[in-house]
Amino acid sequence: FCSMCVTVLLFGPQATLAGARSVDVDIEDDAPTAADVLIALREAAPALTGSLASSRLAINHEFAATGQTVQPGDEVALIGMVSGG
């Protein structure tokens, strides 16, 4: 049973690590948060685990705080942090 299924979009090196441009995660929570998505993503795509600490989730094109709720239909993306100038 899946309370909510979320598709997480992946880009660049993280898409390469996962071998896909997105990962579907199942979240068994009535009010899932960005933190719940990250936990589910770690389970669904273990290859991403090493990069998650230096990444953030974006919900509907805006960086999300870990406590931000994910709603059905939201666009969720994993954004790897990039340094440089």
Side-chain angles (χ1 to χ4, degrees), residues 4 30-37 59-60 64-72 74:
M4 191 160 122
D30 292 336
T33 63
D36 294 325
V37 173
I59 298 174
N60 299 324
T66 55
Q68 183 172 336
T69 303
V70 179
Q71 302 292 327
D74 282 348

Side-chain angles (χ1 to χ4, degrees), residues 1 5 11 13-15 18 21 27 31 37-39 50 52 55 59-60 63 68-70 72 76 79:
F1 175 137
C5 298
F11 305 96
Q14 291 169 318
R21 291 170 119 349
I27 302 172
V37 173
L38 287 172
I39 290 166
L52 292 178
S55 302
I59 298 174
N60 299 324
F63 284 119
Q68 183 172 336
T69 303
V70 179
V76 180
I79 310 295

Side-chain angles (χ1 to χ4, degrees), residues 13-68:
Q14 291 169 318
T16 301
L17 282 171
R21 291 170 119 349
S22 66
V23 174
D24 293 329
V25 296
D26 295 337
I27 302 172
E28 296 181 16
D29 190 330
D30 292 336
T33 63
D36 294 325
V37 173
L38 287 172
I39 290 166
L41 189 58
R42 186 175 288 117
E43 293 171 7
L48 294 174
T49 299
S51 71
L52 292 178
S54 61
S55 302
R56 291 186 62 190
L57 279 185
I59 298 174
N60 299 324
H61 304 275
E62 293 187 16
F63 284 119
T66 55
Q68 183 172 336

